[in-house]
Amino acid sequence: MTEIFADGTGSVIVSNGVVRIELVQLRRKDGKAELTSQSAGTLLMPVGSLKNLTLQLAKALEQLQDRQAERDRLASEGKKGAELDEALSN
């Protein structure tokens, strides 16, 4: 199995029942701070599989957002708790 790291996607083309999703990586240009995108490969899959891929990606995104919301909530509560502790100690 080949693993490809991608920073994002480029073009998405549907042709003859196949979805072609270009995967791109960001690379430094000539060792400078400037980044350019280069093709890392192309994901090919039947159009019929695209819906399942989209649903799985949406579910993963939702889980990440839920985790971040929980972290934010806990951090906010921790900050309030620290403020309360400080107020009580004064």
Side-chain angles (χ1 to χ4, degrees):
M1 177 174 72
T2 301
E3 295 180 2
I4 299 173
F5 176 83
D7 291 301
T9 58
S11 63
V12 178
I13 300 169
V14 178
S15 178
N16 299 320
V18 176
V19 178
R20 292 167 171 81
I21 303 171
E22 179 187 15
L23 304 173
V24 297
Q25 294 176 344
L26 297 177
R27 300 277 175 110
R28 298 225 180 265
K29 184 176 183 180
D30 300 325
K32 299 178 183 175
E34 182 182 350
L35 296 175
T36 61
S37 62
Q38 294 180 336
S39 180
T42 303
L43 173 63
L44 303 163
M45 64 188 319
V47 171
S49 299
L50 185 59
K51 181 178 180 181
N52 189 43
L53 171 65
T54 304
L55 292 173
Q56 288 178 336
L57 290 172
K59 184 176 179 179
L61 179 59
E62 185 178 319
Q63 290 172 350
L64 288 169
Q65 290 173 328
D66 289 346
R67 288 182 196 157
Q68 186 60 50
E70 181 66 13
R71 281 191 208 109
D72 292 346
R73 185 185 67 76
L74 292 172
S76 176
E77 288 177 2
K79 185 177 180 182
K80 289 177 186 174
E83 291 170 355
L84 180 59
D85 289 343
E86 183 180 339
L88 291 174
S89 66
N90 290 335

